[in-house]
Amino acid sequence: MAVDAGGPSRRHGRMAFTLRQLQFFVAAAEQGAVSGAARALSISQSSVTEAIQSLEEDLGVILFERKARGLELTHKGSLFLRHASQILGDVSTARMAFREEEGDLKGRLSLGVTSLVAGYVLSDMLSRFRRAFPKVELSAVEDSADYLQHLLIGGELDVAVLLTSSIRDRAALQVESLLVSPYRLWLPIGHRLNAAEAISLDDLAGEQLIALTVDEIEESTRRMMGALSVKPDIAFRTRSVEAVRSLVATGAGVALLPSLVYRPWSLEGDRIEIRDVSGDLPSVQVGLVWRKGAPLSPVARNFIRAAQGAVPER
């Protein structure tokens, strides 16, 4: 596929999509609405609509389902979102590498990450950093947030990427938030709550709940359920987000999870709906953490910059 950073052009009878169109598409996917994308980008709604239509014509696929509540990615749209984000990341990485005099940076980076973050945030950070600084030797360890904090304070890790609400010793650690992810309700197709105008936590009374038991998710879910007069039944507890997806998609229950880990399709190709829930729901924050007062090496400093650019606001 040809990609043109400027205006529309013709390549062998086909229009090459532009980086601008990709930016508009990614914004619409993240915001879930043309109006939200337009606000986020400070452009007109018609510009977003035209960009998406042009992309769909060029690719020959439907990227979004247009619904009353906004836009929902189709299966092919979800696949293309990954490619679009990769292209935009590559362009940003190229600019960063040329801008940095340290493009030939060498050294070693010791990185820590928790399991939930490893599966949903880390890969884009690492690929961006490695493309810009291929000569850096990188080692990563996945462990609990408490143990990673111990390693940071002891100087055994340079940087960690984790859920920042789990940080115990803020006097010893520097924290920079990357994204905030609210909890939302995951539903199978055809569930009674899909047609509701608004959903509250009390509407979950009597529902079968699929519970995720990683990082701080289990404790957050327990606190939410504790506030309800009628508790949902816990149908299944699992440490696997993919298991949650499959169980919800096939109607075994519903789930309350951060939107960070939401994907619209299970591994089996079944659709999962997502809805906002009113009430006092928590959110999770993903951030970078390093030892306070310790000088950052050029390697660590450039990883932080790469991570900041790799994670979009959500």
Side-chain angles (χ1 to χ4, degrees):
M1 288 179 192
V3 181
D4 180 10
S9 62
R10 293 285 175 178
R11 298 288 189 273
H12 305 294
R14 292 181 64 80
M15 180 175 286
F17 55 72
T18 67
L19 294 177
R20 192 175 183 83
Q21 288 172 331
L22 294 184
Q23 290 167 344
F24 292 4
F25 163 70
V26 170
E30 290 171 353
Q31 298 293 326
V34 168
S35 57
R39 284 194 301 272
L41 297 167
S42 299
I43 58 173
S44 67
Q45 293 189 34
S46 62
S47 295
V48 178
T49 300
E50 290 168 8
I52 294 171
Q53 289 174 343
S54 295
L55 271 178
E56 290 180 327
E57 290 171 6
D58 181 58
L59 297 169
V61 300
I62 301 300
L63 298 172
F64 290 106
E65 293 177 15
R66 279 73 170 173
K67 297 194 173 184
R69 292 197 300 269
L71 301 175
E72 284 190 4
L73 285 167
T74 62
H75 192 196
K76 290 183 178 178
S78 183
L79 295 175
F80 184 67
L81 177 61
R82 182 75 179 181
H83 292 298
S85 299
Q86 181 75 49
I87 291 168
L88 294 174
D90 284 343
V91 171
S92 180
T93 297
R95 288 173 175 158
M96 180 177 67
F98 279 111
R99 192 166 56 241
E100 291 289 339
E101 294 182 355
E102 299 155 329
D104 278 339
L105 187 68
K106 296 179 182 178
R108 179 180 176 84
L109 179 70
S110 296
L111 182 67
V113 63
T114 53
S115 59
L116 194 68
V117 171
Y120 293 92
V121 177
L122 186 64
S123 61
D124 287 340
M125 292 180 184
L126 291 185
S127 62
R128 180 182 174 89
F129 181 73
R130 282 172 169 153
R131 288 194 302 270
F133 306 106
K135 296 180 181 179
V136 170
E137 182 183 353
L138 191 147
S139 63
V141 57
E142 178 185 314
D143 216 305
S144 69
D146 284 344
Y147 186 61
L148 294 180
Q149 291 170 67
H150 167 74
L151 294 180
L152 284 167
I153 293 171
E156 297 177 62
L157 291 177
D158 297 310
V159 185
V161 190
L162 43 75
L163 302 184
T164 58
S165 53
S166 63
I167 294 172
R168 309 297 181 202
D169 192 352
R170 291 183 178 262
L173 296 170
Q174 182 72 37
V175 180
E176 178 166 339
S177 181
L178 292 175
L179 65 89
V180 178
S181 181
Y183 274 67
R184 301 181 75 189
L185 179 64
W186 297 15
L187 298 165
I189 293 289
H191 192 279
R192 65 180 180 88
L193 291 175
N194 275 322
E197 287 293 323
I199 301 172
S200 69
L201 281 174
D202 287 331
D203 291 326
L204 304 184
E207 290 288 339
Q208 297 288 301
L209 190 71
I210 313 299
L212 185 66
T213 59
V214 296
D215 290 350
E216 66 183 41
I217 304 300
E218 184 173 23
E219 179 58 31
S220 294
T221 302
R222 187 181 296 115
R223 287 197 301 269
M224 280 190 290
M225 297 304 101
L228 300 180
S229 55
V230 181
K231 311 292 190 292
D233 296 323
I234 304 295
F236 199 85
R237 288 181 171 86
T238 177
R239 293 184 60 83
S240 167
V241 181
E242 292 299 343
V244 175
R245 262 195 278 277
S246 294
L247 289 165
V248 170
T250 54
V254 302
L256 277 168
L257 287 175
S259 54
L260 167 70
V261 298
Y262 171 73
R263 301 292 182 270
W265 306 94
S266 70
L267 288 175
E268 298 79 14
D270 297 314
R271 178 85 190 194
I272 302 154
E273 299 287 343
I274 190 168
R275 294 289 307 275
D276 291 326
V277 178
S278 61
D280 187 19
L281 268 70
S283 61
V284 300
Q285 294 189 35
V286 176
L288 299 166
V289 186
W290 60 92
R291 187 172 55 164
K292 189 174 289 185
L296 283 170
S297 68
V299 169
R301 187 170 59 249
N302 277 285
F303 174 78
I304 290 170
R305 290 175 184 167
Q308 291 166 336
V311 179
E313 292 183 6
R314 295 175 186 239

